[in-house]
Coordinates of all heavy atoms in Angstrom, one line a residue:
Chain A
V216 N -58.0 45.9 2.6 CA -57.2 47.1 2.5 C -57.7 48.2 3.5 O -58.8 48.5 3.5 CB -57.2 47.6 1.0 CG1 -56.4 49.0 1.0 CG2 -56.6 46.6 0.1
S217 N -56.7 48.7 4.2 CA -57.0 49.7 5.2 C -56.9 51.1 4.5 O -57.6 52.0 4.7 CB -56.1 49.6 6.4 OG -56.2 50.7 7.2
V218 N -55.8 51.2 3.6 CA -55.6 52.4 3.0 C -54.9 52.3 1.6 O -54.0 51.4 1.4 CB -54.7 53.3 3.9 CG1 -53.4 52.7 4.3 CG2 -54.4 54.7 3.2
F219 N -55.4 53.0 0.6 CA -54.8 53.2 -0.7 C -54.1 54.5 -0.7 O -54.7 55.5 -0.3 CB -55.9 53.2 -1.8 CG -56.4 51.9 -2.1 CD1 -57.7 51.5 -1.6 CD2 -55.7 51.0 -2.9 CE1 -58.2 50.3 -1.9 CE2 -56.3 49.7 -3.2 CZ -57.5 49.4 -2.7
T220 N -52.9 54.6 -1.0 CA -52.2 55.8 -1.0 C -51.2 55.9 -2.1 O -50.6 54.9 -2.6 CB -51.5 56.1 0.4 OG1 -50.7 57.3 0.3 CG2 -50.5 54.9 0.7
G221 N -50.9 57.2 -2.6 CA -50.0 57.4 -3.6 C -48.5 57.3 -3.2 O -47.6 57.1 -4.0
S222 N -48.3 57.6 -1.9 CA -47.0 57.5 -1.4 C -47.0 57.2 0.1 O -48.1 56.9 0.6 CB -46.3 58.9 -1.5 OG -47.1 59.9 -0.8
S223 N -45.9 57.1 0.7 CA -45.8 56.8 2.2 C -46.5 55.6 2.7 O -47.0 55.5 3.8 CB -46.2 58.0 3.0 OG -47.6 58.3 2.8
C224 N -46.5 54.5 1.8 CA -47.1 53.2 2.3 C -46.3 52.7 3.5 O -46.8 52.2 4.4 CB -47.0 52.2 1.2 SG -48.5 51.8 0.4
Y225 N -45.0 53.0 3.4 CA -44.1 52.4 4.4 C -44.4 53.0 5.8 O -44.2 52.3 6.8 CB -42.6 52.7 4.1 CG -42.1 54.1 4.3 CD1 -41.4 54.4 5.4 CD2 -42.4 55.1 3.4 CE1 -41.0 55.7 5.7 CE2 -41.9 56.4 3.6 CZ -41.2 56.7 4.7 OH -40.8 58.0 4.9
Q226 N -45.0 54.2 5.9 CA -45.3 54.8 7.2 C -46.4 54.0 7.9 O -46.4 53.9 9.1 CB -45.7 56.2 7.0 CG -44.5 57.1 6.7 CD -44.9 58.6 6.4 OE1 -46.1 58.9 6.2 NE2 -43.9 59.4 6.3
T227 N -47.3 53.4 7.1 CA -48.4 52.7 7.7 C -47.8 51.4 8.3 O -48.4 50.8 9.3 CB -49.5 52.3 6.7 OG1 -49.0 51.5 5.7 CG2 -50.1 53.6 6.1
L228 N -46.7 50.9 7.8 CA -46.1 49.7 8.3 C -45.4 50.1 9.6 O -45.4 49.4 10.7 CB -45.1 49.1 7.4 CG -45.6 48.3 6.1 CD1 -44.5 47.9 5.3 CD2 -46.5 47.1 6.5
E229 N -44.7 51.2 9.5 CA -43.9 51.7 10.7 C -44.7 52.1 11.9 O -44.3 51.8 13.0 CB -43.0 52.9 10.2 CG -41.7 52.5 9.7 CD -40.7 53.6 9.6 OE1 -41.1 54.7 9.2 OE2 -39.5 53.4 9.8
N230 N -45.9 52.7 11.6 CA -46.7 53.1 12.8 C -47.7 52.0 13.2 O -48.5 52.2 14.1 CB -47.4 54.4 12.5 CG -48.5 54.3 11.4 OD1 -49.0 53.2 11.1 ND2 -48.8 55.4 10.8
G231 N -47.5 50.8 12.6 CA -48.3 49.7 13.1 C -49.7 49.7 12.6 O -50.5 48.8 12.9
Q232 N -50.1 50.6 11.7 CA -51.4 50.6 11.2 C -51.7 49.4 10.3 O -52.8 48.8 10.3 CB -51.6 51.9 10.3 CG -53.0 52.3 10.1 CD -53.7 52.9 11.3 OE1 -53.1 53.7 12.1 NE2 -54.9 52.5 11.6
C233 N -50.7 49.0 9.5 CA -50.9 47.8 8.6 C -49.7 46.9 8.9 O -48.6 47.3 9.3 CB -50.8 48.3 7.2 SG -52.2 49.4 6.8
S234 N -49.9 45.6 8.5 CA -48.8 44.6 8.6 C -48.3 44.2 7.2 O -47.3 43.6 7.1 CB -49.3 43.4 9.4 OG -50.3 42.7 8.7
V235 N -49.0 44.6 6.2 CA -48.6 44.2 4.8 C -48.8 45.5 3.9 O -49.7 46.2 4.1 CB -49.5 43.1 4.2 CG1 -49.1 42.7 2.8 CG2 -49.5 41.9 5.1
A236 N -47.9 45.6 3.0 CA -48.0 46.8 2.1 C -47.6 46.3 0.7 O -46.6 45.6 0.5 CB -47.1 47.9 2.5
L237 N -48.5 46.7 -0.3 CA -48.1 46.6 -1.7 C -47.5 48.0 -2.1 O -48.3 49.0 -2.2 CB -49.3 46.3 -2.6 CG -49.1 46.3 -4.1 CD1 -48.1 45.1 -4.5 CD2 -50.4 46.1 -4.8
C238 N -46.2 48.1 -2.1 CA -45.6 49.4 -2.1 C -44.4 49.5 -3.0 O -43.8 48.5 -3.4 CB -45.3 49.9 -0.7 SG -44.0 48.9 0.0
F239 N -44.0 50.8 -3.3 CA -42.7 51.0 -4.0 C -41.7 51.7 -3.2 O -40.7 52.2 -3.7 CB -43.0 51.6 -5.4 CG -44.0 52.8 -5.4 CD1 -43.7 53.9 -4.8 CD2 -45.1 52.6 -6.1 CE1 -44.7 55.0 -4.8 CE2 -46.1 53.6 -6.2 CZ -45.9 54.8 -5.5
D240 N -42.0 51.9 -1.9 CA -41.1 52.6 -1.1 C -40.4 51.7 0.0 O -40.2 52.2 1.1 CB -41.7 53.8 -0.4 CG -43.1 53.6 0.1 OD1 -43.4 52.4 0.3 OD2 -43.9 54.5 0.4
Y241 N -40.1 50.5 -0.4 CA -39.5 49.6 0.5 C -38.1 50.1 0.9 O -37.7 50.0 2.1 CB -39.3 48.2 -0.2 CG -38.6 47.1 0.6 CD1 -38.9 46.9 1.9 CD2 -37.6 46.3 0.0 CE1 -38.3 45.9 2.6 CE2 -37.0 45.3 0.6 CZ -37.3 45.1 2.0 OH -36.7 44.1 2.7
A242 N -37.4 50.8 0.0 CA -36.1 51.3 0.4 C -36.1 52.4 1.5 O -35.3 52.4 2.3 CB -35.4 51.9 -0.9
Q243 N -37.2 53.1 1.5 CA -37.4 54.1 2.5 C -37.6 53.5 3.9 O -37.2 54.0 4.9 CB -38.5 55.1 2.1 CG -38.0 56.2 1.1 CD -39.1 57.0 0.7 OE1 -40.0 56.5 0.0 NE2 -39.1 58.3 1.0
L244 N -38.4 52.4 3.8 CA -38.7 51.7 5.1 C -37.4 51.2 5.7 O -37.2 51.1 6.9 CB -39.6 50.5 4.8 CG -40.1 49.6 5.9 CD1 -41.0 50.4 6.9 CD2 -40.7 48.4 5.4
M245 N -36.5 50.7 4.8 CA -35.2 50.2 5.2 C -34.1 51.2 5.5 O -33.0 50.9 5.8 CB -34.7 49.2 4.1 CG -35.5 48.0 3.9 SD -35.4 46.8 5.2 CE -37.1 46.6 5.7
M246 N -34.5 52.5 5.5 CA -33.6 53.5 5.9 C -33.2 53.4 7.3 O -32.1 53.8 7.8 CB -34.2 54.9 5.6 CG -34.2 55.3 4.2 SD -32.7 56.1 3.7 CE -32.9 57.8 4.2
T247 N -34.2 52.9 8.1 CA -33.9 52.7 9.6 C -33.4 51.3 9.7 O -34.0 50.3 9.4 CB -35.3 52.9 10.3 OG1 -35.9 54.1 9.9 CG2 -35.1 52.9 11.8
K248 N -32.2 51.2 10.3 CA -31.5 49.9 10.4 C -32.3 48.9 11.3 O -32.3 47.7 11.0 CB -30.2 50.1 11.0 CG -29.0 50.0 10.0 CD -27.7 50.2 10.7 CE -26.7 49.2 10.1 NZ -25.4 49.4 10.7
D249 N -33.1 49.5 12.3 CA -33.9 48.6 13.1 C -34.9 47.8 12.3 O -35.4 46.7 12.7 CB -34.7 49.4 14.2 CG -33.7 50.0 15.2 OD1 -32.6 49.6 15.2 OD2 -34.2 50.9 15.9
N250 N -35.3 48.3 11.1 CA -36.3 47.7 10.3 C -35.7 46.5 9.4 O -36.5 45.8 8.9 CB -37.0 48.7 9.4 CG -37.8 49.7 10.1 OD1 -38.2 49.4 11.3 ND2 -38.2 50.8 9.5
W251 N -34.4 46.4 9.4 CA -33.8 45.4 8.5 C -34.3 44.0 8.7 O -34.5 43.2 7.8 CB -32.3 45.6 8.5 CG -31.8 46.8 7.8 CD1 -32.5 47.9 7.4 CD2 -30.5 47.1 7.4 NE1 -31.8 48.9 6.8 CE2 -30.5 48.4 6.8 CE3 -29.2 46.4 7.5 CZ2 -29.3 49.0 6.3 CZ3 -28.1 47.1 7.0 CH2 -28.1 48.4 6.4
D252 N -34.4 43.7 10.0 CA -34.8 42.3 10.4 C -36.3 42.2 10.6 O -36.8 41.1 10.8 CB -34.1 41.8 11.7 CG -32.6 41.7 11.4 OD1 -32.2 41.2 10.3 OD2 -31.8 42.0 12.3
K253 N -37.0 43.4 10.7 CA -38.4 43.4 11.0 C -39.3 43.1 9.9 O -40.4 42.6 10.0 CB -38.7 44.7 11.7 CG -39.9 44.8 12.5 CD -40.0 46.1 13.2 CE -41.4 46.3 13.9 NZ -41.5 47.7 14.4
Y254 N -38.9 43.6 8.7 CA -39.7 43.5 7.5 C -39.1 42.6 6.4 O -37.8 42.5 6.4 CB -40.0 44.9 6.9 CG -40.7 45.8 7.9 CD1 -40.0 46.7 8.7 CD2 -42.1 45.7 8.1 CE1 -40.6 47.5 9.6 CE2 -42.7 46.5 9.0 CZ -42.0 47.4 9.8 OH -42.6 48.2 10.7
A255 N -39.9 42.0 5.6 CA -39.4 41.2 4.5 C -40.3 41.3 3.3 O -41.4 41.8 3.4 CB -39.3 39.7 4.9
V256 N -39.7 40.9 2.1 CA -40.5 40.9 0.9 C -41.1 39.5 0.7 O -40.4 38.5 0.8 CB -39.6 41.3 -0.3 CG1 -40.3 41.2 -1.6 CG2 -39.0 42.7 -0.1
A257 N -42.4 39.5 0.3 CA -43.0 38.2 0.1 C -42.5 37.6 -1.2 O -42.4 38.3 -2.2 CB -44.5 38.4 0.0
D258 N -42.1 36.3 -1.2 CA -41.6 35.7 -2.4 C -42.7 35.0 -3.1 O -43.1 33.9 -3.0 CB -40.6 34.6 -1.9 CG -39.8 34.1 -3.1 OD1 -40.0 34.6 -4.2 OD2 -39.0 33.1 -2.9
I259 N -43.4 35.9 -4.0 CA -44.5 35.4 -4.7 C -44.1 34.7 -6.0 O -43.0 35.0 -6.6 CB -45.6 36.5 -5.0 CG1 -45.0 37.6 -5.8 CG2 -46.1 37.0 -3.7 CD1 -46.0 38.6 -6.3
D260 N -45.0 33.9 -6.6 CA -44.6 33.1 -7.7 C -44.8 33.8 -9.1 O -44.2 33.3 -10.1 CB -45.5 31.8 -7.7 CG -47.0 32.1 -7.5 OD1 -47.3 33.3 -7.4 OD2 -47.8 31.2 -7.4
T261 N -45.4 34.9 -9.1 CA -45.7 35.6 -10.4 C -44.8 36.7 -10.7 O -44.9 37.3 -11.8 CB -47.2 36.0 -10.5 OG1 -47.5 36.7 -9.3 CG2 -48.1 34.8 -10.7
G262 N -43.9 37.1 -9.8 CA -43.0 38.3 -10.1 C -43.7 39.6 -9.8 O -44.9 39.7 -9.8
Y263 N -42.8 40.6 -9.7 CA -43.3 41.9 -9.4 C -43.1 42.9 -10.5 O -42.3 42.7 -11.4 CB -42.5 42.5 -8.2 CG -42.8 41.8 -6.9 CD1 -41.9 41.0 -6.2 CD2 -44.1 42.0 -6.3 CE1 -42.2 40.5 -5.0 CE2 -44.4 41.5 -5.1 CZ -43.4 40.7 -4.4 OH -43.7 40.1 -3.2
E264 N -43.9 44.0 -10.5 CA -43.8 45.0 -11.5 C -42.5 45.8 -11.2 O -42.1 46.2 -10.1 CB -44.9 46.0 -11.3 CG -44.9 47.2 -12.3 CD -45.7 48.4 -11.9 OE1 -46.0 48.5 -10.7 OE2 -45.9 49.2 -12.8
A265 N -41.7 46.0 -12.3 CA -40.5 46.8 -12.2 C -40.7 48.1 -13.1 O -41.4 48.0 -14.1 CB -39.3 46.0 -12.7
Y266 N -40.0 49.1 -12.7 CA -40.0 50.3 -13.6 C -38.8 51.1 -13.3 O -38.2 51.0 -12.2 CB -41.3 51.2 -13.4 CG -41.5 51.6 -12.0 CD1 -41.1 52.9 -11.5 CD2 -42.2 50.8 -11.0 CE1 -41.3 53.3 -10.3 CE2 -42.4 51.2 -9.7 CZ -41.9 52.5 -9.4 OH -42.1 52.9 -8.1
S267 N -38.3 51.8 -14.3 CA -37.2 52.6 -14.2 C -37.5 54.1 -14.4 O -38.6 54.4 -14.9 CB -36.0 52.2 -15.1 OG -36.5 52.2 -16.4

Side-chain angles (χ1 to χ4, degrees):
Chain A
V216 174
S217 170
V218 54
F219 284 101
T220 177
S222 58
S223 64
C224 251
Y225 77 98
Q226 285 174 349
T227 63
L228 289 176
E229 272 195 319
N230 67 22
Q232 199 74 41
C233 299
S234 64
V235 182
L237 175 66
C238 64
F239 41 67
D240 44 16
Y241 179 45
Q243 280 174 293
L244 181 70
M245 293 288 128
M246 282 277 271
T247 311
K248 254 181 144 180
D249 291 347
N250 289 343
W251 288 12
D252 292 325
K253 199 173 170 186
Y254 301 96
V256 176
D258 192 2
I259 62 170
D260 48 3
T261 46
Y263 287 113
E264 179 202 18
Y266 57 95
S267 56

